[in-house]
Amino acid sequence: MPVKEFKLPDVGEGVAEGELVTWLVEPGDRVEEDQPVAEVETDKALVEVPSRYDGVVEELFVAEGEMVPVGDVIISFRVDEDGEATASGAGDDTAAADAAEPADDADDISAATEEPQTPSGRTFAPPSVRRLARELGVDIAAVDGSGPGGRIDEGDVRAHAESGGATDSSSGDDAGSDADGPKPVDIGSSDRKSAVSKRGESDHTEGSSASGVEPAGRETTLATPATRKVARELGIDIDDVPTDEMREGEPFVDEAAVRVYAERDTEATVVETAGSEPASTPKSVSTSDASVSAPASVADTDAPDAVEETVPYRGVRRTIGKQMERSKFTAPHVTHHDTAEVDALVEAREQLKPKAEANGVKLTYMPFVMKAIVAGLKEHPYLNSELREDDEEIALKREYNLGIAVATDAGLMVPVVKHVDEKGLFELAEEVNDLAARARDRKIKPAEMKGGTFTITNFGAIGGEYATPIINYPETAILGLGAIEERPVVRDRSDVDEGFLDDEAGTTVVPAPTLPLSLSIDHRVVDGAVAARFANTVMEHLENPLLLLNE
């Protein structure tokens, strides 16, 4: 009954590593091929990693929250010669019986030895339900399933929790443990079958003496987040680490090079005095020895009265930050503000909403805005362009692919609606709603966030009015939408029945729905006058929605 090890696959386009966010299984669970076993976050998206085997989970090699390079072993499965699942530690007869038992579907997981047996001998619950049970402190094996064959759904778990069936983790011999959660992974254990590669010591030859190591002193260095973390822990400036490896024309440093440099630097600079404490903490401080040699300020961060909390800067959040930094420090931003009076737009949407609802579509103002933007881009194509600095040319795009910024728990994501000029209002509404929902659920595909030519950000959804949006580089412009609200506007007195009159001007001030607009442009490509004319075209189409019929 061999044990099969499973390595972290390339879960994205060229992704080198990912953070293992959540285990969806635990040792003893039976899984089927293509069943998700873990959630991994890369710098592009949150993805589910499927199993390649039918088998029983033997061991988890990575802790939740740990960064894992692609190609490292993360989990192992025990399978028999026929590829059928065999529970670790169970007798041959029991294992054979379990393996022969049919599963409800590909998402079912059964704990062979860890959980109390249900009447059928198995606990049927998909990974999402097991995760909910862990969050609510519910023992999944104690829940009565209402689905076919006793299958447990989220409603069953919530009902069990509300009835007082949540596990009390503060009592009994197992206080502090999670009855249904993954078993703790002993990352520091010497006898565990860790397949996480320890790159470095054997891969590097001694190319210089152990003393007198000269810092490289580079301005830029490519390295993975895990390598940079090791460098920080060892007190090493990663730009000082010598390397001959190049990637994308830049020096590349791996973890092994950092450790070798740290060891040589320590040997060259730290002199140990027998029988006395060192005057200062050496640069090379092992994290496992932090309780002995770390400075007091480090230990104080774990105290109950610590005044700050640190959150890892990686994954989607880091990608957003790098993109914003690149845009802001590359393209000189200028923001043009204006306000559209949208009485007719509000009325048009109200008239179309019943028909949209009859077609199962939630109609917002966004499709109208998208159509108005396309009209503006057709008249002013330089806002639908990309500056290619290396080629010294401006590419005027002939497609109208609009990115819609969506706020998620992980940060701002920008799914792209392709060929907006070829789609109707209802079709756009349905597509925007679908993309936004999947972005918030972290189910959006990387390919669905590429190919944009212009971006819209709707900060008005949370009550904003004006802003200075950062361009989604390498695009040339971005339009920010404020909240549609009634604000004072000046109208011709003959056009309204009442208001605050100005007899000399023949005007009056009345409340009317308005839409604030904030247009940021790359001033290298677009002049302020062009931006103003583009905004005027957009406002003209929003204030006269019948014009959108031509788009």
Side-chain angles (χ1 to χ4, degrees), residues 324-339:
M324 295 298 100
E325 178 184 15
R326 181 186 182 193
S327 177
K328 193 64 176 178
F329 290 102
T330 301
H333 284 55
V334 171
T335 304
H336 172 86
H337 299 287
D338 222 321
T339 304

Side-chain angles (χ1 to χ4, degrees), residues 384-403:
N384 198 49
S385 69
E386 174 187 341
L387 174 60
R388 295 171 180 167
E389 300 173 68
D390 293 341
D391 299 327
E392 295 186 339
E393 64 184 20
I394 300 172
L396 304 180
K397 303 301 179 68
R398 299 304 182 190
E399 293 182 336
Y400 302 95
N401 303 332
L402 304 189

Side-chain angles (χ1 to χ4, degrees), residues 103-298:
D104 274 359
D105 56 37
D107 284 333
D108 287 340
I109 304 174
S110 67
T113 59
E114 298 292 332
E115 297 175 348
Q117 298 294 302
T118 59
S120 63
R122 304 180 65 190
T123 301
F124 294 112
S128 60
V129 173
R130 290 180 177 273
R131 187 163 61 250
L132 175 63
R134 291 196 293 270
E135 293 171 355
L136 298 179
V138 170
D139 181 355
I140 194 72
V143 179
D144 294 328
S146 60
R151 182 179 177 85
I152 300 171
D153 59 23
E154 290 189 4
D156 298 328
V157 172
R158 294 186 185 280
H160 187 83
E162 292 172 359
S163 66
T167 302
D168 184 1
S169 61
S170 62
S171 63
D173 295 335
D174 295 328
S177 65
D178 187 343
D180 189 53
K183 300 302 179 288
V185 180
D186 183 7
I187 300 301
S189 175
S190 60
D191 59 353
R192 77 178 181 90
K193 299 177 183 178
S194 175
V196 178
S197 63
K198 295 183 178 179
R199 297 171 294 171
E201 292 76 7
S202 61
D203 297 335
H204 286 72
T205 59
E206 296 295 325
S208 62
S209 63
S211 62
V213 182
E214 291 294 330
R218 294 180 299 273
E219 293 186 359
T220 59
T221 301
L222 297 181
T224 65
T227 299
R228 294 182 184 277
K229 180 181 178 182
V230 170
R232 288 194 299 270
E233 292 172 349
L234 298 178
I236 296 297
D237 185 342
I238 202 161
D239 292 328
D240 288 342
V241 179
T243 182
D244 295 328
E245 186 173 353
M246 304 291 289
R247 291 191 183 180
E248 300 179 2
E250 297 286 351
F252 178 83
V253 170
D254 61 12
E255 181 180 337
V258 171
R259 294 190 181 279
V260 170
Y261 178 74
E263 291 169 2
R264 293 173 181 172
D265 186 51
T266 300
E267 292 174 5
T269 59
V270 178
V271 177
E272 296 184 1
T273 303
S276 63
E277 287 190 12
S280 61
T281 303
K283 280 187 177 181
S284 181
V285 178
S286 170
T287 53
S288 63
D289 297 331
S291 61
V292 177
S293 57
S297 59
V298 175

Side-chain angles (χ1 to χ4, degrees), residues 519-536:
L519 174 68
S520 290
I521 58 169
D522 183 343
H523 214 333
R524 299 174 301 174
V525 180
V526 180
D527 293 330
V530 176
R533 285 194 285 269
F534 168 82
N536 288 340

Side-chain angles (χ1 to χ4, degrees), residues 462-481:
I462 55 176
E465 192 166 354
Y466 293 101
T468 55
I470 297 179
I471 298 166
N472 190 13
Y473 189 83
E475 296 171 12
T476 299
I478 181 172
L479 182 64
L481 308 178

